[in-house]
Amino acid sequence: RPNRCSHRTSQRKMAWRGCSTLRLLLIRACLLCPLAAEAGLYSSADQVVLLTPDTVASVLRNNSAALLVEFYASWCGHCVAFSPVWKALARDTREWKPAVDLVAIDCAFEENSRVCRDFGIAGYPSLKFFPAHSGSDSKGSDIKGFPRDVLGLRHLIIRKIEEHHDSWPPACPPLEAASKAEIDSTVQTNSMEYLALVFETEDSYVGREVTLDLLQFSNITVRRVLKSERELVSELEVTDFPSCYLRRRDSNFTRLHVLNEARTFYSYALQRLPGVVRSGKSKPVTSDLLQNGTQVQWRPFDRSGVYMSDLESALHYSLRVEVAARSVIAGPALDALRSYISVLAKNFPGRPMVKRKLQSLDAWMKSWEEGELPYSSLRAALDQSNQTAALPRGVRWVGCQGSRPHFRGYPCSVWTLFHLLTVQALETGSSGPLEVLWTMRRYMHNFFGCRYCSTHFEQMAEENMDSVSMLSEAVIWLWARHNQVNNRLAGDLSEDPHFPKIQWPPPDQCRECHGVKGGGEHAWNQAQVLAFLRSHYSAQHLNMTYLEKEVEVLEVLEQPQEHGKRSPGRNGRETPDPAPPEQEEEEVQKPALPRLRRSSIVSLRMRERPPDDIVDLDSFISEHYKAKAVHRAPLSGRIRQVDLQPGDLDPGRGARRWMTVLLGSGFSGLDVSLCVLFYLLSTMCLLGMYLCFKLRCRLRRTKVALP
Ligand SMILES: Cc1cc2nc3c(=O)[nH]c(=O)nc-3n(C[C@H](O)[C@H](O)[C@H](O)COP(=O)(O)OP(=O)(O)OC[C@H]3O[C@@H](n4cnc5c(N)ncnc54)[C@H](O)[C@@H]3O)c2cc1C
Ligand SMILES: *[C@@H]1O[C@H](CO)[C@@H](O)[C@H](O)[C@H]1NC(C)=O
Ligand SMILES: *[C@@H]1O[C@H](CO)[C@@H](O)[C@H](O)[C@H]1NC(C)=O
Ligand SMILES: *[C@@H]1O[C@H](CO)[C@@H](O)[C@H](O)[C@H]1NC(C)=O
Ligand SMILES: *[C@@H]1O[C@H](CO)[C@@H](O)[C@H](O)[C@H]1NC(C)=O
Ligand SMILES: *[C@@H]1O[C@H](CO)[C@@H](O)[C@H](O)[C@H]1NC(C)=O
Ligand SMILES: *[C@@H]1O[C@H](CO)[C@@H](O)[C@H](O)[C@H]1NC(C)=O
């Protein structure tokens, strides 16, 4: 019965085709989903709240912060042109978030279009201002003809905040000028640790900007005083406008000395006064406690120094621990590793012993012709040493020491290493302008254990790394990106309170690097910055203290490595053995992707471990998750609060918390809903396959039953 048979076969075929179509769909959806999530002009890294239909209610309604919302379409040229300004504005007003936040929504994204229609958006980009505690029927106020620069928009935000009358944002300090009577009464009650007065003219915004810049800091009050407040002006003998006068409890007003009489300089100086701390962050421990409290011995260091010990530790950790996360290195990862080692061999200004090792490793890598490199072979080549060439084992952080084991360490040394390499490449002129940057980008992409870090770095690199066309531009590019990261992470829980993230170099390290442009805006003097970087990251400036002596390194490496035991030659070392082999094995077995093995995301406790100073990348990553969760939590409206304590995020408190953590750790709501969708799709596919099999079985059975 050929007819029936073929009919059945075609049925079967159709069923199979259905399955494979589904599978194809799934694969496509998988490939597309990260794109969809990252579409639009802004990403989660931009400190802009990304509005979706689901979050309209929680973000726009009854928010305790005022909101400035940009409605844009990702295809519109003006919006693309405006997006760097919006990002810069978000960075610039980062400290103001509890009082006023920036929001953006991509109206070109089909799901969002209804929201944009509901708000009556006709053209892009459009700005709307939502005062704090806007009601559910509020459509916000349109801002027509808004300025297209950061300065103008910042002033606009201040004017808009001042328009609040009865519903002043609770987190926003008073912005109006203070009168003499007010100041006198504050001084008399003597309740404030610091009182800063910015004397200025009526049209100046400096005082209000500084006030907002410090709104997240406790123990200090900032007020603006107008030039017209004659009595106070003459009492303090104020002659310059603007100028800042500071009063500490129980003393008199004195002029605050800054490099330039401008907002950034005032804010920078005031935020770093002793006793002034970011609220919601633990008070920095005193350096005394710091020294006694950490398990490892504290190595006193100079913040303006660059320590070879950090760099050698970076090499050890990256080559012996981080790269070891892959048991076989192949394809793009192998290329990334090749160029990493080649750049190191060419540019690393190490001790002769280390340089020789890197060069021989480079030669060895180049002679490796197979497409796959087992890590064990690399490790053997790395550890094989003779009398003259070796890479010290273990980590000893110096300039990268953190006040707690989970702060700083490895990521700090990675930055330092690559800054050094860009500067060295410039000095030797031995490579193309992009070689070091590409090497860093590929290393980050393929190996760096903190996946969010590499994703963020990749985004920045994609944006404008290709515009670098000279070796000196590469130095500046990396410096600027690092400052961008510093800005993003300032105030994050992953920030070591002892080493706050600043725009670097600070005025006390490089005066000439800082200047002001028109309107009192801070401006970097890039030529000076370049000169500073060239001297800071020069080979001569490297501080060689705390290094293990070459003879000791060579002696130790000469002996065969005993597993699980300390080699005898290392007992006399200053620090406890930083990397016992068994621990390294443990690290090797971990996958390279974020691991949630640690039961508590928020627990600050380290795993019980022998006191070592290997940076625990795991804890670094979990810190990162937590930091993100806390960072993002205030944005969800309901949980908004300035004083988020670490304990507030207890993952044991139910699914909602987990959701917060999930959402916080880089999964957007979209990601989660896509996950659910995939789950459904895959269930359907399984069901389909099951039916297929069943159908086939039945066919077989019928066949057998046929006469
Ligand atoms: C590529 C990369 C991306 C990262 N992305 C993230 C992320 O997305 N989220 C996250 O939580 N952490 C991220 N990190 C880690 C984070 O940037 C810090 O390295 C970490 O928090 C430790 O900070 P730190 O205080 O030691 O200073 P670091 O920022 O690590 O700086 C190290 C040293 O470099 C010098 N320095 C500082 N700024 C500059 C500059 N602009 N130019 C030149 N030198 C400078 C200073 O001497 C400083 O002490 C990333 C790290 C790297 C290497
Ligand atoms: C708005 O929020 C405040 C607290 O932030 C609350 O007291 C008030 O009831 C809320 N109003 C509405 C209408 O939800
Ligand atoms: C403050 O100034 C007054 C006079 O203006 C002076 O008498 C007093 O000693 C000063 N106090 C301090 C703590 O400097
Ligand atoms: C404010 O300063 C006082 C005195 O220096 C200090 O005791 C207090 O802890 C500070 N407040 C905060 C929140 O750190
Ligand atoms: C820290 O150690 C030093 C000596 O090393 C000691 O004098 C000091 O009292 C210790 N501080 C604390 C808080 O234990
Ligand atoms: C190196 O660092 C140590 C410790 O911070 C310091 O005492 C020493 O002066 C530095 N050496 C140089 C050459 O800067
Ligand atoms: C040691 O190794 C380095 C690099 O591999 C090589 O240049 C040097 O000649 C070797 N020295 C001896 C004594 O074998």
Side-chain angles (χ1 to χ4, degrees), residues 134-317:
S134 287
S136 53
D137 49 348
S138 163
K139 294 259 182 270
S141 59
D142 284 313
I143 298 173
K144 300 247 161 57
F146 54 88
R148 301 300 167 108
D149 63 311
V150 173
L151 184 76
L153 285 165
R154 211 170 61 218
H155 294 173
L156 176 111
I157 290 177
I158 291 177
R159 288 195 302 273
K160 283 288 174 189
I161 295 179
E162 286 179 323
E163 282 173 14
H164 281 92
H165 293 294
D166 27 312
S167 64
W168 189 258
C172 187
L175 296 179
E176 79 270 14
S179 64
K180 176 159 167 44
E182 254 180 290
I183 304 282
D184 284 346
S185 81
T186 314
V187 167
Q188 262 145 34
T189 56
N190 202 22
S191 54
M192 257 307 144
E193 186 66 15
Y194 290 101
L195 177 61
L197 300 181
V198 178
F199 287 87
E200 59 184 355
T201 52
E202 181 99 46
D203 56 353
S204 160
Y205 284 86
V206 174
R208 284 168 283 180
E209 286 165 350
V210 176
T211 306
L212 286 164
D213 283 342
L214 278 128
L215 87 89
Q216 297 195 57
F217 290 78
S218 53
N219 265 347
I220 184 165
T221 301
V222 185
R223 295 301 299 268
R224 71 188 290 233
V225 180
L226 297 185
K227 192 178 180 180
S228 52
E229 199 69 44
R230 294 261 160 65
E231 219 179 315
L232 207 53
V233 167
S234 62
E235 192 182 311
L236 298 183
E237 294 165 2
V238 180
T239 49
D240 299 338
F241 301 90
S243 61
C244 181
Y245 285 75
L246 185 67
R247 175 184 182 276
R248 193 166 190 171
R249 201 202 294 265
D250 302 320
S251 58
N252 288 336
F253 278 106
T254 52
R255 173 109 184 233
L256 182 74
H257 290 286
V258 287
L259 207 54
N260 291 295
E261 302 292 339
R263 168 208 175 195
T264 324
F265 297 88
Y266 294 146
S267 298
Y268 179 81
L270 297 177
Q271 285 170 354
R272 269 151 203 84
L273 290 170
V276 170
V277 288
R278 197 181 283 278
S279 22
K281 280 210 84 169
S282 59
K283 205 170 151 291
V285 279
T286 65
S287 53
D288 198 28
L289 269 174
L290 179 67
Q291 291 181 22
N292 300 0
T294 50
Q295 290 178 322
V296 293
Q297 192 184 341
W298 184 259
R299 307 180 185 96
F301 70 98
D302 182 1
R303 286 191 194 210
S304 60
V306 180
Y307 288 82
M308 181 56 94
S309 186
D310 291 323
L311 297 163
E312 287 186 359
S313 301
L315 294 183
H316 162 83
Y317 194 90

Side-chain angles (χ1 to χ4, degrees), residues 356-357 359-361 385-389:
R356 273 195 290 268
K357 181 77 233 173
Q359 274 152 11
S360 73
L361 194 63
S385 44
N386 62 21
Q387 293 300 321
T388 57

Side-chain angles (χ1 to χ4, degrees), residues 69-129:
V69 185
E70 184 200 357
F71 295 84
Y72 70 94
S74 38
W75 44 258
C76 115
H78 281 101
C79 305
V80 175
F82 182 61
S83 65
V85 177
W86 195 250
K87 287 183 197 178
L89 180 69
R91 280 202 295 275
D92 194 52
T93 60
R94 192 177 51 75
E95 297 289 354
W96 306 7
K97 272 178 184 297
V100 57
D101 215 344
L102 297 193
V103 181
I105 180 166
D106 183 359
C107 301
F109 193 50
E110 210 174 316
E111 274 179 38
N112 294 340
S113 55
R114 207 175 52 84
V115 177
C116 303
R117 211 169 42 241
D118 288 350
F119 282 104
I121 303 303
Y124 309 117
S126 286
L127 292 191
K128 271 180 180 285
F129 185 80

Side-chain angles (χ1 to χ4, degrees), residues 614-626:
I614 240 190
V615 65
D616 183 352
L617 209 63
D618 221 26
S619 87
F620 168 70
I621 289 166
S622 73
E623 272 303 296
H624 183 76
Y625 276 126
K626 188 188 53 187

